[in-house]
Amino acid sequence: MKDVKYDPDDLIAALATPWAESALAVIRTSGPECINAVADIFSANNKLKKAEGNTIVYGHIVSDNEKLDEVMAAVYRAPKSYTGQDSVELFVHGSLPGMKKILELLYRSGFREASPGEFTFRAFLNQKMDLTRAEAVQEIISAKSRQAQSLALNRLSGSIENSINSIKSDMTDLLASVEIQLDYPEDEVEMPDVTASETKPIEEKMNRLLSTYQAGKIYQEGVRVVLAGKTNAGKSSLFNLFLKEDRSIVSDIHGTTRDYLESWISIGGIPVRLFDTAGLREAEHPIEVEGIRRSNEIIDGAHVILYLADAQEGITADLKAFMEQYREDRRCVYIWNKIDKSIVSAPDEFIPLSALTGEGFSILEETIRDIVFRDQYVPHNEPVLDSMRQKKLLEAARDSIDKYNQALKDGMPMDMAAVDLTDALNSLGEITGEVTSAEVLERMFSNFCVGK
Ligand SMILES: Nc1nc2c(ncn2[C@@H]2O[C@H](COP(=O)(O)OP(=O)(O)OP(=O)(O)O)[C@@H](O)[C@H]2O)c(=O)[nH]1
Ligand SMILES: [Mg+2]
């Protein structure tokens, strides 16, 4: 796996923290002889060179006798480091010009800028982690809710790797049985069963893991929820209640919200992109007309539509028209807002709510969760598949087993049918990265952030 972009023998360096002013920043370096190379630009030169692994050395980064920054250098020695190579992490001050100076100095001193995901790539090459764990690293970083983060953390601890290995081990046993069938005459040994009854439990394990994918995707990518309804129904009030801050302008003037607002929130662990939109009505002002056009666009693309009705107004013609138009649409949740002020009780399909007092809010949250996970298997305490790559390979493995069973049914010779089993095993090997092509690896890691 040697190619220019990801040559593991190069000395690499990158900023691992955001390119922004902050109290501290971390510059990460890795590569053979990395510790000596950093020592060349370090005041406590000898101390750093002799430092044991997992220790920290205090000093200055120096260039031509000029001190660039006062830093702490964390020293890791191979193989006990993230990448499995010698590595130094510099804790520097988070000043933009300061960070820039140090990075430029590193790039003049034998280091090159790390490509995206290159540190994790090296960790994979040095067998510090398999591919499912490497992918989990990026999934943790991009997690948008606490739930998504802890599911990804489970994957980093090997939950998917272990599941796949357990399936692989079943497959290997099966292949061994097939070998016995092929190698020994029937009368010499007892023939193990290699038919569908043996592949069934394996397929069940695969299906179980596959069924978690949709939920994993929801937790990782989130869903779009839109607040819709007539002007003055209380959409912006509810938006602010979800955000727990006074973000959207609320007023009793109809048509207050002209352009839509959006924000990430979390509802029961689901990352939700919540939209507040311009109230729907017959508008004349061209800006309001454009706002309403945008509202409709967002409604079209939403996973869940929260339609607010003003309880004080009751069932209006607009509400009836909307409900008629969206009759078959299972994304809609109807909300009977302002119950604190109205004595008219909510009609059947409505959730009674007061965006002002918060009454009914937790029921609304539960309803949204139910809609998002409707028709879906919700996993509890088990590995959750999140990567499209892993899902496709697992499906390919399952298809190969199907083909194997079909081949046996069709009376094909065992040695030919067994090829499908080998294919299945190879697909599983690709998931963990034992048999993954350089091109696939490069594509995968190039989606990572630099410094990771
Ligand atoms: N009593 C009471 N008043 C509410 C409630 N929700 C909203 N209001 C009031 O209703 C008025 C309109 O609220 P907004 O949140 O601005 O309504 P909107 O749907 O965003 O309106 P537009 O932006 O014009 O489409 C404001 O005066 C709110 O204080 C509620 O649950 N109870
Ligand atoms: Mg509004």
Side-chain angles (χ1 to χ4, degrees):
M1 181 59 222
K2 203 162 161 116
D3 93 343
V4 187
K5 195 171 165 208
Y6 280 116
D7 188 342
D9 293 331
D10 287 351
L11 285 170
I12 52 169
L15 187 66
T17 41
W19 185 247
E21 203 174 289
S22 54
L24 286 177
V26 178
I27 292 174
R28 200 177 215 180
T29 67
S30 178
E33 290 301 305
C34 163
I35 299 169
N36 287 342
V38 176
D40 288 344
I41 55 164
F42 198 68
S43 58
N45 184 304
N46 268 327
K47 223 172 159 189
L48 188 60
K49 278 188 182 161
K50 290 198 198 109
E52 284 185 32
N54 297 341
T55 57
I56 292 187
V57 184
Y58 163 84
H60 287 87
I61 298 290
V62 281
S63 166
D64 297 331
N65 291 328
E66 185 203 347
K67 287 180 180 169
L68 299 191
D69 197 6
E70 185 182 33
V71 308
M72 303 298 281
V75 179
Y76 307 90
R77 291 199 180 265
K80 287 190 169 175
S81 71
Y82 181 76
T83 54
Q85 302 180 312
D86 280 358
S87 169
V88 178
E89 281 169 6
L90 297 170
F91 302 109
V92 308
H93 290 104
S95 123
L96 293 175
M99 295 189 286
K100 204 160 172 226
K101 273 195 220 166
I102 299 171
L103 282 168
E104 281 169 1
L105 177 61
L106 283 166
Y107 300 148
R108 285 200 306 273
S109 315
F111 287 85
R112 72 165 163 80
E113 191 175 1
S115 300
E118 194 163 8
F119 293 93
T120 309
F121 178 65
R122 290 185 179 191
F124 166 71
L125 280 191
N126 290 323
Q127 280 146 33
K128 302 293 286 188
M129 55 176 84
D130 80 316
L131 272 193
T132 67
R133 293 186 198 227
E135 281 174 306
V137 171
Q138 187 60 19
E139 287 157 13
I140 288 180
I141 296 172
S142 56
K144 291 185 187 65
S145 75
R146 295 157 72 115
Q147 179 73 3
Q149 189 263 359
S150 50
L151 288 174
L153 199 59
N154 279 341
R155 289 190 284 270
L156 182 62
S157 330
S159 64
I160 297 284
E161 185 188 11
N162 296 339
S163 306
I164 297 294
N165 282 343
S166 139
I167 298 172
K168 257 199 291 200
S169 143
D170 294 350
M171 290 283 309
T172 312
D173 289 349
L174 183 67
L175 261 171
S177 302
V178 170
E179 294 295 327
I180 293 176
Q181 294 245 2
L182 289 173
D183 292 351
Y184 296 95
E186 225 168 286
D187 46 348
E188 270 181 31
V189 286
E190 200 183 318
M191 284 299 151
D193 185 8
V194 292
T195 58
S197 65
E198 288 302 299
T199 57
K200 203 161 180 250
I202 303 179
E203 285 184 284
E204 273 169 10
K205 276 191 187 174
M206 291 178 167
N207 284 333
R208 175 107 192 156
L209 192 53
L210 280 168
S211 64
T212 65
Y213 176 73
Q214 214 48 34
K217 205 163 123 51
I218 288 171
Y219 280 125
Q220 189 66 20
E221 292 177 7
V223 293
R224 294 159 76 90
V225 175
V226 60
L227 291 159
K230 265 183 68 182
T231 54
N232 236 30
K235 300 177 292 299
S236 300
S237 306
L238 184 53
F239 184 78
N240 292 344
L241 185 63
F242 271 117
L243 263 61
K244 297 179 183 71
E245 67 177 279
D246 197 10
R247 257 289 293 286
S248 188
I249 301 174
V250 167
S251 89
D252 57 4
I253 300 167
H254 287 252
T256 303
T257 309
R258 289 280 180 98
D259 205 349
Y260 66 87
L261 276 85
E262 54 182 297
S263 183
W264 278 108
I265 56 165
S266 166
I267 298 181
I270 309 166
V272 168
R273 194 144 191 78
L274 185 70
F275 292 85
D276 180 19
T277 60
L280 306 169
R281 68 167 172 179
E282 288 294 327
E284 277 169 16
H285 196 289
I287 292 176
E288 193 176 355
V289 171
E290 174 59 17
I292 292 171
R293 192 192 64 77
R294 290 180 190 197
S295 298
N296 283 317
E297 218 170 71
I298 292 163
I299 292 170
D300 282 346
H303 294 95
V304 180
I305 302 165
L306 305 179
Y307 189 96
L308 274 81
D310 188 334
Q312 290 171 298
E313 292 185 3
I315 308 230
T316 59
D318 295 291
L319 175 57
K320 272 193 192 149
F322 187 92
M323 290 179 85
E324 183 53 33
Q325 190 187 340
Y326 286 84
R327 196 155 41 104
E328 303 285 330
D329 201 319
R330 297 171 77 209
R331 301 175 298 156
C332 291
V333 177
Y334 292 98
I335 298 168
W336 198 247
N337 189 34
K338 309 194 187 180
I339 51 166
D340 56 293
K341 255 210 168 153
S342 166
I343 44 159
V344 187
S345 58
D348 274 351
E349 61 264 63
F350 284 75
I351 295 175
L353 181 93
S354 167
L356 201 66
T357 67
E359 197 184 339
F361 188 65
S362 52
I363 295 173
L364 175 61
E365 284 192 311
E366 273 167 40
T367 311
I368 295 171
R369 222 186 117 79
D370 288 349
I371 291 198
V372 171
F373 285 125
R374 183 176 48 205
D375 309 330
Q376 256 166 45
Y377 170 65
V378 185
H380 288 287
N381 297 327
E382 61 187 295
V384 173
L385 206 60
D386 177 63
S387 144
M388 180 66 136
R389 187 191 72 87
Q390 294 169 18
K391 175 183 174 255
K392 279 189 177 157
L393 288 167
L394 196 53
E395 282 170 346
R398 190 186 53 188
D399 293 348
S400 297
I401 293 180
D402 280 348
K403 268 170 84 183
Y404 164 80
N405 282 327
Q406 193 56 46
L408 286 189
K409 251 200 213 153
D410 295 346
M412 279 243 254
M414 181 64 83
D415 54 343
M416 282 177 78
V419 173
D420 293 321
L421 288 186
T422 316
D423 283 350
L425 206 51
N426 281 339
S427 298
L428 295 173
E430 260 188 75
I431 296 181
T432 48
E434 282 151 48
V435 285
T436 308
S437 73
E439 191 192 330
V440 170
L441 288 175
E442 191 173 317
R443 187 153 14 100
M444 241 189 75
F445 283 96
S446 61
N447 290 327
F448 277 51
C449 14
V450 175
K452 195 66 232 182

